[in-house]
Amino acid sequence: MVANLAIAAALSLAPSLAPKFRSTRISMSGITTGEVHGENGAYVAGYWVPLENCPKHFNIAHGSHVKGIRARRSMTGRSAAHPDGSYDVAIIGAGCIGSAIARELSKTTASVVVLEAADDVCQGATKGNSGIVHAGFDDKPGSVRAKLCWKGNQMFPALDEDLHFGYQLTGSLVIARGDEDEAHLQTLLERGHTNGVQNLRIVNQAELRKMEPNIDPAATAALFSPDAGTLIPYEYTIALAENAADNGVEMRIRRQVEDIIKNSNGLFEVQVAHWEPREFVQTSLDPLSKVRQALQPTKLGSYFGGENEGGPWQEYPELKKSEQRVDIEDMKVGGSGSKRAMNGVVVDHEVVRARYVVNCGGGASDKISEMIGDDSFKIKPRLGEYVLLKKSSGSACNHILFPCPGPYGKGILVQKTLWGNLILGPTARDQHEWPDPQVDPDSKSVILQKILSACKRLVPSFDVDDAFHSFSGARAKSTRGDWIIEPSAADAHFIQAAGIDSPGIAGSPAIAVEVVQLLKDAGLAVEVDPSFNPKRAPLIVPKHGDVLNGGTPLIYTPDDKTSINAAGVPAEQNVVCKCEKVTEKEVVDACRRSLPIDSTQAIRKRTRAGMGGCQGKPWNYGCECRVAQIIAREASTAQGTLPVEQVGRRPWAATSQFPRRWLSPQDKETLAKLLLEADALSKEEVSEVAAKIEATLPLAVELDSASESADVNAA
C-alpha cells in the first residue's frame, strides 16, 4: 500500500536506524470505525489494535522519552546551541507546522530552537481545529495545497506508528441531496483525480444508508474518500514536539518575538520577550512568600467559571473563582495561553542568534514577516466555532460527514472524534468583513443556531442535550489565497511557512519535508543524525472498563479536594479523573517528559484529565484539584518550589459560545429551542442564512470549469 511506501521513505533517510528501532508493524487492514480510542484498545496507523496487543503496538517500551531530559520552567531541559550560543535554525511557532518541521530537522545534526509565544505548544490555530486529515480532493489543482495535502495524508499511518498520537482512518463522505448536488460530487471526483488522490468513489443511496444509518433521509449519494482520517490536533502536535525535543531540539515557551535583525556576521538576531504569569512572578520574587505559604492553610488556587454556575461553591472555600476572556488578537498568539489572556509580565529579554529562521507564526506570521521587511501577505483570521457532544452521541455517525457545496451552505460538518465524542462545526466567519473588527456582529445564539441547523441536515437525530463544550479557532487565512511555503523575497535564509489554513494538518508532514529541503537549498549543511529515535511512547494507557490490561483494577479514591491519593493506592490504579479514567501515573509520566508543563490545561491536552462530560466540576470528583497538586509536586521536584495555587488552570470562558462552563438545565432547553427554531425556518430563510455562510467560505464548485471547481475546505 501507499502507507507502506511512506514508511519505507521515512526509514530511507537513515537506513541504519531501521534495525535498531523497527517494531513489528500492524496489518494495514482491519477495523477503522466503530471503536473508541482508549477503550478496550487503540487506533494505531489508522487501524484498531485490541487491548491485548497494545503493549506491542501502542504502549511501546523503547520510546524516545527514555533518552529525553526533563523540562525546566518554560523550556526544555537542555540547550541545542552551538558553543558560541548560536543556532542553525530558529523556528517561530510550535503549532502542528512548526512542530512537524522541528521533528523533521531533529533527524539531522542541525542545531534547532523553537520559540512559542504561548504557555504550551499547540495553543493557536492548531488547537481550535476539527482534527481531520483531509485527502485533498477538494483543493484547487496546481495550488500548494493540492501539491502537499495528499502527500501529507499518505504519511500519517507511518507517522502514527512511530509517534502513537492516535490516528483513525475514518474516511469521509460528502453528502448529496438530489441531482444538482450529485453533479457537484462528480466535479469533486474529477478534481480529486487531477490532484492525484486515490481510492475515491461515489456511493449510491442504498450503500450510503448502510454506511451511515442515521443520515438524513433526503441524502441521495455521497463521495467517499477512505483515506481521510481523524486525530486529536493537540495530541498530534505534542507528539511531534516531544519527539523533536527528545532528539535534541530546544523548545522555549512564553517567548514572544518582538523584532528580527541581521547582524554583521550574517546571523539573524531574534529579539524575544520572555513572559510569565503575574501571580507566579510576584510569588517567586517575594523573599517572604515561602514563609507565608508554610504558615497558611493549603489553597487550591483558581477555578475558572462564570456566575451562577449552578454548583455548591460555598462548600469549597479553598477555591477562588476566576474568569478569562479571549479576543481574536489573543488567538493569533496562543489564545487562552497568550500573554495578555494569562495576565503575563515580561521577566527577561533574550536574543536568539540563528543562521536560518522559519516563520510558522500562524495568525501572527504576517507580523513576523514584516520584521524582516517582507509585507507580501496579510493574515485575515477566519473564525470557526464548534459544539462538542458527549460520547453517548458519538454513534450518530461513522465517518466524517460534509455537506455538498450548494445553495444551502457548506463547510459545517458532523464527525465522531477519535475519543468517541460527536463534534459539530465549524462556522466560517471572517473578521475583516465585520463593520467594526472589534465587535462581533453575530450573537452567540445566532452562531449556535447556524451550527445546529446545518448539522441537523446531515444527521437529524443527534441529541442536543448531550452538548457540554464549545470552542472556536482562528484559521490563518492569507491574502495570497494559498499556503505560503517559500524563501522570503527579503532574505533567502528566512523561510515562510505561513498562511497555512485547512487542510494544514493533513499537509503538515509533507510541508515539513518541503521546508527542510528549502533550508538545504538555501545552504543549510546537515548530516543524518545516527542517534535519532523516531519512536515515541504514548502517555495514554487504554483500559477495559475499570480494569487495566492484565486485570489490575482501577481505584476511585475519596475526594476531599486536598489529597491526590487519599487511599494510598498504587499510582497506576489511582484514578484522578473519573470521566476519562485517567490515573495518577499517567499525569506523573506527562510531567516527567521533555516538554515544560505547569498547568492543568497542559495535562488535559496530554492525558484527557478534565476532558470528560463533567468538565472538571469541583463538586463531582475534583479532578482539576488532584491534577494541580500532582503538577505542583512534580514541578517542585524538578524546578524548585511551585505552590499549588500557582499551577495554571483550565481557562473559561476563553472562546466558548456557551453562557456557563457547566450548562444548566435551562441552558440545555435554550439549545433545544434554537434547534426547533432552525427546523421552523422557511426554505427562503434557510437559503438566506446559508448564503451568508457560503459567502465567507473560500472555495466553491463551478460546474463550467474543471480547473476552478469544488473546493470544500472545512477546518
Side-chain angles (χ1 to χ4, degrees):
M1 288 183 65
V2 177
N4 288 326
L5 296 177
I7 293 170
L11 290 173
S12 69
L13 177 65
S16 62
L17 300 184
K20 184 177 180 182
F21 294 114
R22 181 181 291 144
S23 63
T24 304
R25 303 221 175 258
I26 69 168
S27 171
M28 290 296 164
S29 62
I31 295 173
T32 60
T33 62
E35 304 292 344
V36 175
H37 189 65
E39 297 181 7
N40 303 312
Y43 282 103
V44 180
Y47 298 92
W48 183 249
V49 173
L51 189 64
E52 61 270 21
N53 293 336
C54 280
K56 183 177 182 180
H57 295 297
F58 186 63
N59 299 106
I60 60 172
H62 54 280
S64 59
H65 69 284
V66 173
K67 72 172 185 178
I69 296 177
R70 193 168 174 177
R72 293 179 281 165
R73 174 85 187 183
S74 299
M75 65 185 301
T76 45
R78 60 185 164 197
S79 171
H82 291 301
D84 67 355
S86 69
Y87 300 84
D88 293 322
V89 182
I91 299 171
I92 300 173
C96 70
I97 304 301
S99 297
I101 294 168
R103 181 180 185 262
E104 194 67 25
L105 284 169
S106 75
K107 300 175 182 179
T108 75
T109 55
S111 167
V112 181
V113 61
V114 179
L115 305 171
E116 169 55 49
D119 66 347
D120 192 11
V121 302
C122 194
Q123 287 286 69
T126 302
K127 182 177 70 172
N129 189 284
S130 306
I132 298 172
V133 179
H134 293 266
F137 57 80
D138 46 357
D139 298 310
K140 181 178 179 180
S143 66
V144 180
R145 287 190 187 94
K147 174 186 174 183
L148 296 177
C149 183
W150 172 250
K151 186 183 295 185
N153 171 287
Q154 291 295 287
M155 295 171 73
F156 270 90
L159 259 180
D160 186 45
E161 200 155 14
D162 278 346
L163 298 178
H164 302 99
F165 46 83
Y167 178 57
Q168 180 182 357
L169 273 169
T170 321
S172 68
L173 291 162
V174 180
I175 307 299
R177 299 164 64 91
D179 293 343
E180 184 178 352
D181 283 356
E182 290 184 33
H184 290 349
L185 295 187
Q186 188 62 41
T187 302
L188 287 172
L189 178 67
E190 293 169 2
R191 171 173 277 203
H193 291 160
T194 300
N195 290 344
V197 179
Q198 300 176 16
N199 306 317
L200 295 172
R201 64 186 181 91
I202 293 176
V203 300
N204 62 25
Q205 187 177 57
E207 184 176 1
L208 175 60
R209 298 206 179 288
K210 290 180 181 179
M211 298 171 74
E212 291 292 342
N214 298 315
I215 200 73
D216 184 71
T220 58
L223 176 64
F224 178 44
S225 175
D227 291 279
T230 297
L231 51 74
I232 303 299
Y234 38 85
E235 293 183 28
Y236 166 58
T237 302
I238 287 164
L240 291 167
E242 189 181 282
N243 187 244
D246 290 343
N247 284 292
V249 170
E250 180 181 339
M251 298 266 181
R252 302 188 200 179
I253 62 171
R254 299 190 177 102
R255 263 58 173 201
Q256 195 152 337
V257 175
E258 296 185 321
D259 200 6
I260 304 173
I261 62 174
K262 202 79 174 280
N263 67 20
S264 58
N265 295 321
L267 295 178
F268 289 104
E269 292 187 352
V270 184
Q271 299 179 16
V272 179
H274 172 197
W275 65 270
E276 294 285 348
R278 184 180 300 275
E279 289 187 6
F280 171 80
V281 173
Q282 291 172 342
T283 301
S284 62
L285 294 181
D286 183 353
L288 298 177
S289 62
K290 292 184 180 179
V291 176
R292 279 196 289 268
Q293 289 164 19
L295 296 175
Q296 291 177 352
T298 301
K299 292 182 180 294
L300 298 183
S302 298
Y303 237 88
F304 284 81
E307 294 301 320
N308 303 316
E309 286 285 0
W313 288 104
Q314 67 278 5
E315 296 179 17
Y316 304 103
E318 313 97 324
L319 301 174
K320 180 181 70 175
K321 281 179 33 175
S322 300
E323 191 169 359
Q324 181 200 67
R325 295 291 177 184
V326 173
D327 61 24
I328 295 177
E329 291 304 308
D330 297 327
M331 295 171 77
K332 293 179 182 179
V333 288
S336 60
S338 65
K339 176 175 175 285
R340 191 208 63 81
M342 294 295 296
N343 194 24
V345 295
V346 175
V347 296
D348 193 15
H349 287 90
E350 303 167 351
V351 176
V352 175
R353 293 180 295 119
R355 183 70 59 184
Y356 301 89
V357 170
V358 182
N359 177 15
C360 307
S365 56
D366 54 347
K367 304 301 182 187
I368 301 296
S369 182
E370 289 169 4
M371 293 176 187
I372 66 159
D374 184 343
D375 59 357
S376 61
F377 65 94
K378 296 289 184 185
I379 296 297
K380 303 168 78 173
R382 173 164 291 166
L383 295 183
E385 288 90 2
Y386 298 83
V387 172
L388 194 65
L389 275 62
K390 294 178 181 179
K391 293 182 181 182
S392 50
S393 285
S395 60
C397 67
N398 296 316
H399 304 79
I400 305 161
L401 303 181
F402 295 98
C404 186
Y408 298 110
K410 57 189 178 182
I412 297 180
L413 59 94
V414 177
Q415 173 193 0
K416 181 181 180 179
T417 72
L418 182 73
W419 288 97
N421 299 99
L422 193 71
I423 191 169
L424 313 176
T427 58
R429 303 188 308 119
D430 288 336
Q431 182 195 26
H432 68 271
E433 294 185 350
W434 298 356
D436 181 347
Q438 305 307 315
V439 179
D440 192 334
D442 294 327
S443 68
K444 291 188 175 185
S445 61
V446 166
I447 294 167
L448 289 169
Q449 190 173 68
K450 286 179 181 179
I451 296 171
L452 297 175
S453 60
C455 293
K456 195 171 180 64
R457 289 173 59 80
L458 291 169
V459 180
S461 60
F462 69 82
D463 186 359
V464 74
D465 194 56
D466 273 351
F468 72 100
H469 183 46
S470 169
F471 65 94
S472 68
R475 292 166 247 176
K477 301 293 297 183
S478 86
T479 51
R480 297 266 288 269
D482 197 2
W483 296 347
I484 304 166
I485 304 171
E486 64 191 25
S488 170
D491 194 311
H493 285 195
F494 187 97
I495 307 299
Q496 305 279 21
I500 300 175
D501 55 353
S502 177
I505 280 184
S508 58
I511 290 169
V513 172
E514 184 86 359
V515 167
V516 171
Q517 186 58 52
L518 289 174
L519 287 166
K520 292 177 179 178
D521 293 344
L524 176 65
V526 292
E527 298 177 356
V528 169
D529 183 352
S531 68
F532 172 71
N533 183 354
K535 299 293 182 181
R536 171 201 176 254
L539 292 164
I540 300 294
V541 177
K543 288 99 179 171
H544 173 64
D546 288 336
V547 178
L548 294 167
N549 193 9
T552 302
L554 299 176
I555 298 174
Y556 296 84
T557 53
D559 173 28
D560 61 9
K561 299 292 183 293
T562 59
S563 299
I564 298 170
N565 188 346
V569 302
E572 61 268 23
Q573 293 177 266
N574 178 33
V575 175
V576 295
C577 172
K578 182 170 66 174
C579 294
E580 295 294 324
K581 302 181 181 180
V582 180
T583 66
E584 178 185 350
K585 186 178 185 301
E586 288 171 288
V587 176
V588 169
D589 287 348
C591 290
R592 295 180 180 179
R593 290 286 176 98
S594 55
L595 297 180
I597 289 175
D598 51 45
S599 72
T600 60
Q601 178 77 334
I603 290 294
R604 181 172 170 262
K605 293 192 298 183
R606 288 159 172 81
T607 69
R608 296 191 60 78
M611 283 281 190
C614 92
Q615 292 289 283
K617 283 181 182 175
W619 47 89
N620 182 17
Y621 191 68
C623 64
E624 193 164 9
C625 295
R626 297 174 193 242
V627 169
Q629 290 173 85
I630 296 171
I631 294 169
R633 182 187 70 192
E634 292 296 314
S636 295
T637 301
Q639 307 170 12
T641 302
L642 178 65
V644 68
E645 60 264 32
Q646 296 304 322
V647 174
R649 301 305 170 101
R650 161 94 179 269
W652 197 89
T655 61
S656 177
Q657 299 301 304
F658 289 162
R660 272 166 286 281
R661 177 171 170 181
W662 297 286
L663 293 180
S664 67
Q666 292 75 23
D667 296 329
K668 297 292 185 73
E669 289 177 7
T670 299
L671 286 174
K673 183 179 178 182
L674 288 174
L675 192 56
L676 287 173
E677 289 174 352
D679 287 343
L681 289 174
S682 67
K683 182 175 180 179
E684 291 75 18
E685 289 172 320
V686 171
S687 181
E688 181 181 353
V689 171
K692 292 179 180 178
I693 299 172
E694 185 168 343
T696 69
L697 291 170
L699 305 164
V701 173
E702 297 176 9
L703 296 178
D704 59 342
S705 173
S707 64
E708 295 295 329
S709 61
D711 220 336
V712 184
N713 192 16

